[in-house]
Amino acid sequence: MPKVCYTQPDGTERVVEAEVGDSVMQAAVRNGVPGILGQCGGSLSCATCHVFLDERHADDFPPVGEDEDDMLDVAATDRADNSRLSCQLVLAAGQEVHVTIPETQL
Amino acid sequence: MTTTPGTEYPFAPMPPAEAVEHLGRIIADRPMTKMTMPYGGDVWLVHRNAAAREILSDRRFVREPFRTGERVVPFFVPFPDFLRGTLQFEDPPQHTKLRKLVQKAISPKRVREMRDSAVAFANELIDGMIDRGGVRDLVPEYSLSLPIEMLSNLLGVPSSDREKFERWSSSTLAVAGKSDAEVAADMAELAAYMTDLIAERREEPRDDLLSALAHARDRDETLTDAEILPIAFILIVGGFDNTATFLSTGVLALLSNDEQRAQFAADPDGLAATTAEEVLRHGGFATGRPAGGGGGLVPFVATEDVVVDGQLIAKGDAVSIDLTAAGHDPTAVTEPARFDIARPDNPHLTLSHGLHHCLGAPLARMELQVGLAELVKRIPGLRLAGEPVFSRDVLTQPMTSLPVTW
Ligand code: HEM
Ligand code: HEM
């Protein structure tokens, strides 16, 4: 089972077991991890599932797409080089991913 | 279908605490109920929060048959024709294209940038009420003025025309007090007004959404006046009335709950965000007004057989979300009957979810937060000075008057 470790802005961590094929956003929403809203349900139209992806996983996911890029530009917390929309980070078997949640999504 | 006693749906208004219990029993009994609407026939009303999210995220539920007119929208009244031409009734890919054009203008980042001007304007309105003194009517003097000003700035229409917007907007949802001819005349006037404004912005663009839309065709070659007009329509219909209603409802809810109100007054900036969410979820109940059940979001149609939470939704069935029940589902919300402005997680669906989730959500939230916080900061002694008035002439029965003093 893939695992996701979510670090809150205050440093607290929570590890969640996810299903293969879930996105990092879905795993958070389903397990009530605060700070990831995912209001558009993954249709790239709300920018409320913004996360900072740990550098060590940079190559484990497809690169930022055009629509994702547009939405990251307008997220509530300013984007960084490792910013991703977590609805685009789809988990594979056995994968372990670390992400940090930004100060605010709204 | 036979219904277990105490789980009837729809149900007539009852005291709010009882209504929450009634909804809880329905949710324990079944995920959804089939209901026959006055127009358009049967529709599934989905009560459970998780099932509702599942449906709202599933692209097999579409609105095309309503847009093309193949199906009548199951609803309380004949659904206004001109609204069927908007974003609300599009499916991908056209929906994606239209939505992208607008959503950057109302993005979380843009809305953060607008926040200071919202605070300044709210304070101007409050200054005005304080100067005039005596008994003030919060709905026209505050709750409506704030979102109209924000929307006018965003779209680029003069806020001095606000009285027209109010009329046009209420006309679209009128159930009484207006003849069909009057409604048609209002709509024609709105179309003419917007067409003129779009032409002006084509000539002389400004830094506003209408200018951006008017010039989008130059970059993309696909955006026509016929496409811009419905976008402007839906923003006017969906963009301030709701916000005004929830702002008024939020104030009334706080004035009706002394303990929550004191808590909010002690830290308005810190609690504004969670308070706004709680008002969206439960504000109407917290005012103490009787609450009923029956009806929800504009429906979708299933393009194939889909089983959701054990219930078969057959191909061609219409499905709507019972937002009230979803916000009071005991499996998603702890102590759903409690008005708790500090609730850490608040999975209400009042702004919907998925593809059609509220495009103005960041703006609506910001306006509610600012509107509630500034009022409490500036007028801590605010109190009711009479009974609120609700309009029965408009389908959504919005609050039209809230007399207050201090
Ligand atoms: C408290 C205030 C508001 C509430 C409760 C609210 C709620 C909603 C809901 C439930 C939907 C989904 C409707 C559907 O499925 O047919 C929606 C859609 C929409 N809202 Fe809001 N809204 C609010 C404020 C705003 C504002 C301020 C704007 C714009 C400035 C706005 C613009 C829209 C638009 C354009 C859609 C259609 C989106 C689509 O179909 O893709 N709303 N809203
Ligand atoms: C973008 C457009 C729209 C948005 C964002 C929107 C949003 C909403 C929201 C959030 C509510 C719940 C209000 C509450 O709980 O107090 C509501 C209620 C309602 N809306 Fe809309 N609406 C839109 C368009 C329409 C249209 C076009 C119609 C009808 C022609 C309509 C008819 C109703 C009715 C009848 C209710 C009351 C339902 C009930 O009490 O259960 N809405 N709307």
Side-chain angles (χ1 to χ4, degrees), chain A residues 2 9-10 28 35-36 39 43 55 74 94 97 100 106:
Chain A
D10 68 2
I36 293 185
Q39 185 158 18
S43 53
E55 308 286 355
V74 297
V97 180
T100 302
L106 293 174

Short mmCIF file of all heavy atoms in Angstrom, two decimals, chain A residues 2 9-10 28 35-36 39 43 55 74 94 97 100 106:
data_model
loop_
_atom_site.label_atom_id
_atom_site.label_comp_id
_atom_site.label_asym_id
_atom_site.label_seq_id
_atom_site.Cartn_x
_atom_site.Cartn_y
_atom_site.Cartn_z
N PRO A 2 0.51 2.23 -0.84
CA PRO A 2 1.30 3.47 -0.78
C PRO A 2 1.02 4.21 0.53
O PRO A 2 -0.04 4.05 1.14
CB PRO A 2 0.78 4.28 -1.98
CG PRO A 2 -0.37 3.56 -2.54
CD PRO A 2 -0.56 2.25 -1.84
N PRO A 9 1.97 23.01 8.46
CA PRO A 9 2.85 24.19 8.56
C PRO A 9 3.51 24.31 9.94
O PRO A 9 4.60 24.84 10.05
CB PRO A 9 1.91 25.37 8.30
CG PRO A 9 0.68 24.81 7.68
CD PRO A 9 0.62 23.35 7.99
N ASP A 10 2.85 23.80 10.99
CA ASP A 10 3.45 23.90 12.33
C ASP A 10 4.39 22.74 12.62
O ASP A 10 4.89 22.60 13.74
CB ASP A 10 2.35 23.96 13.40
CG ASP A 10 1.57 22.65 13.53
OD1 ASP A 10 1.91 21.67 12.82
OD2 ASP A 10 0.63 22.59 14.34
N ALA A 28 -5.70 12.49 1.43
CA ALA A 28 -5.83 13.46 2.52
C ALA A 28 -7.30 13.70 2.85
O ALA A 28 -7.71 13.68 4.01
CB ALA A 28 -5.16 14.78 2.11
N GLY A 35 -6.07 20.98 5.95
CA GLY A 35 -5.19 21.81 5.12
C GLY A 35 -5.16 21.45 3.65
O GLY A 35 -4.55 22.13 2.86
N ILE A 36 -5.83 20.35 3.28
CA ILE A 36 -5.97 20.04 1.85
C ILE A 36 -7.47 19.94 1.58
O ILE A 36 -8.14 19.08 2.11
CB ILE A 36 -5.27 18.71 1.48
CG1 ILE A 36 -3.75 18.88 1.64
CG2 ILE A 36 -5.61 18.30 0.05
CD1 ILE A 36 -2.92 17.69 1.19
N GLN A 39 -11.43 21.11 -3.36
CA GLN A 39 -12.84 21.40 -3.58
C GLN A 39 -13.35 21.03 -4.97
O GLN A 39 -14.50 20.66 -5.12
CB GLN A 39 -13.11 22.89 -3.31
CG GLN A 39 -14.59 23.18 -3.42
CD GLN A 39 -15.00 24.43 -2.71
OE1 GLN A 39 -14.18 25.28 -2.39
NE2 GLN A 39 -16.27 24.56 -2.45
N SER A 43 -10.39 18.41 -10.67
CA SER A 43 -10.57 18.85 -12.05
C SER A 43 -9.72 20.08 -12.38
O SER A 43 -9.98 20.78 -13.35
CB SER A 43 -12.05 19.09 -12.36
OG SER A 43 -12.62 19.97 -11.43
N GLU A 55 11.76 17.24 -2.10
CA GLU A 55 12.66 17.23 -3.26
C GLU A 55 13.04 15.80 -3.68
O GLU A 55 13.23 15.52 -4.86
CB GLU A 55 13.96 17.99 -2.97
CG GLU A 55 13.79 19.40 -2.42
CD GLU A 55 13.32 20.39 -3.47
OE1 GLU A 55 13.22 20.01 -4.65
OE2 GLU A 55 13.04 21.56 -3.10
N VAL A 74 -1.93 30.87 -9.15
CA VAL A 74 -2.96 31.65 -8.46
C VAL A 74 -3.35 31.03 -7.12
O VAL A 74 -4.39 31.35 -6.56
CB VAL A 74 -4.21 31.85 -9.35
CG1 VAL A 74 -3.84 32.65 -10.58
CG2 VAL A 74 -4.84 30.51 -9.76
N GLY A 94 3.37 0.61 -3.22
CA GLY A 94 4.61 0.67 -2.45
C GLY A 94 5.25 2.05 -2.33
O GLY A 94 6.26 2.22 -1.65
N VAL A 97 5.48 8.85 0.05
CA VAL A 97 5.65 10.24 -0.39
C VAL A 97 5.56 11.19 0.79
O VAL A 97 4.71 11.02 1.67
CB VAL A 97 4.54 10.60 -1.42
CG1 VAL A 97 4.69 12.02 -1.89
CG2 VAL A 97 4.58 9.65 -2.60
N THR A 100 4.56 18.71 2.27
CA THR A 100 4.31 19.71 3.30
C THR A 100 3.14 20.56 2.86
O THR A 100 3.03 20.93 1.68
CB THR A 100 5.56 20.59 3.52
OG1 THR A 100 6.64 19.73 3.89
CG2 THR A 100 5.34 21.61 4.63
N LEU A 106 -6.79 29.20 1.08
CA LEU A 106 -7.88 30.11 0.71
C LEU A 106 -7.47 31.56 0.87
O LEU A 106 -6.65 31.86 1.72
CB LEU A 106 -9.09 29.84 1.60
CG LEU A 106 -9.77 28.49 1.40
CD1 LEU A 106 -10.85 28.30 2.44
CD2 LEU A 106 -10.38 28.39 0.01
#
